[in-house]
Amino acid sequence: MSEPVTVLIVDDQALVRAGFRMLLDAQPDLRVIGEAGDGAAAVELARAHRPRVVLMDIRMPGVDGIEATRQIAATRGLEAVRVLILTTYDTDANVYDALTAGAAGFLLKDAGAVELLHAVRVIADGDALLAPGITRRLIGQFTAVRSAHRRAEERLAVLTQREREIVALVGQGLSNHEIAHALSLSPATARTHVSRAMIKLGARDRAQLVVIAYQTGLVTVEA
């Protein structure tokens, strides 16, 4: 049996943390390795324990969740740590800022238990961006405004035509298996193309590929 996915819970409300811990620890494949009540403590615990997934609230005193995510993403040795943003706020600015800070996903706190557990497992697996309740249209609208000055063709010049197709499909939310089916490839080949595109574009993970796909017009608001 494989080792359980380790999870760090970050929220300034003790009752919220307790509820998440009870839910996660009841799963045989998940294990909570710590709790933090603010972003600064979250960064320290992430450095000490290197959890696979961090459930990160946005609104906290001191260092907020987005800044804590940015610090975790920038810390050498924490490349495998994946942050799932949890918040009661679903504004477009929060979505964009969380993803560009390095978050791997974005989930509203009113999501059900099944949805939350599924999100943790998918984020841990690294297979796809998960943003239930947050539409691609919302992300697209905000990134289009914030990044209109980017020169898309220059940025995409490093990609092959196949890699452009792959990034576009990632931007539409497809998993590796779905991409493989759409392009008549093996899942392993699809995963390889995704990895190469991430390296060429300097993307930390699939979440940032989604942002790039919108910024460069590979995926449009109407997609």
Side-chain angles (χ1 to χ4, degrees):
M1 182 176 177
S2 60
E3 290 294 317
V5 171
T6 53
V7 183
L8 171 63
I9 301 171
V10 185
D11 195 289
D12 62 343
Q13 297 184 43
L15 285 177
V16 172
R17 297 198 305 270
F20 286 147
R21 176 182 280 274
M22 185 178 300
L23 174 64
L24 295 168
D25 276 341
Q27 310 304 310
D29 61 328
L30 305 175
R31 179 168 62 88
V32 176
I33 52 85
E35 300 179 19
D38 60 72
V43 174
E44 290 305 311
L45 286 173
R47 288 171 175 164
H49 299 291
R50 300 189 182 187
R52 181 59 179 152
V53 176
V54 179
L55 295 184
M56 182 78 77
D57 187 25
I58 286 184
R59 300 293 181 90
M60 293 182 292
V63 177
D64 66 17
I66 291 176
E67 177 56 30
T69 298
R70 186 174 291 110
Q71 291 182 28
I72 289 172
T75 300
R76 181 174 297 179
L78 299 185
E79 292 84 2
V81 176
R82 299 179 62 78
V83 177
L84 175 60
I85 294 289
L86 285 165
T87 184
T88 53
Y89 303 93
D90 61 349
T91 66
D92 49 6
N94 284 339
V95 175
Y96 183 87
D97 290 342
L99 293 178
T100 54
F106 194 104
L107 189 69
L108 296 182
K109 284 184 178 178
D110 60 4
V114 172
E115 193 174 29
L116 172 61
L117 292 172
H118 181 61
V120 170
R121 291 176 176 124
V122 172
I123 291 298
D125 184 60
D127 188 46
L129 168 69
L130 196 65
I134 307 298
T135 67
R136 292 194 298 273
R137 179 178 177 84
L138 184 62
I139 299 173
Q141 287 174 329
F142 200 71
T143 57
V145 171
R146 290 278 291 268
S147 307
H149 65 285
R150 292 182 181 271
R151 301 178 63 182
E153 282 307 311
E154 259 186 34
R155 191 169 190 188
L156 296 175
V158 297
L159 301 181
T160 64
Q161 184 58 40
R162 175 63 83 188
E163 287 165 350
R164 287 188 181 214
E165 294 172 352
I166 293 286
V167 174
L169 293 175
V170 171
Q172 293 172 42
L174 273 65
S175 68
N176 287 337
H177 283 279
E178 291 167 334
I179 290 171
H181 178 74
L183 299 179
S184 298
L185 304 171
S186 71
T189 299
R191 183 180 293 274
T192 297
H193 280 306
V194 171
S195 297
R196 287 176 178 168
M198 286 170 57
I199 292 170
K200 289 181 177 181
L201 293 171
R204 181 174 185 266
D205 54 26
R206 294 176 74 99
Q208 291 193 347
L209 277 188
V210 173
V211 174
I212 291 170
Y214 278 103
Q215 288 176 335
T216 57
L218 286 177
V219 178
T220 64
V221 172
E222 291 76 24

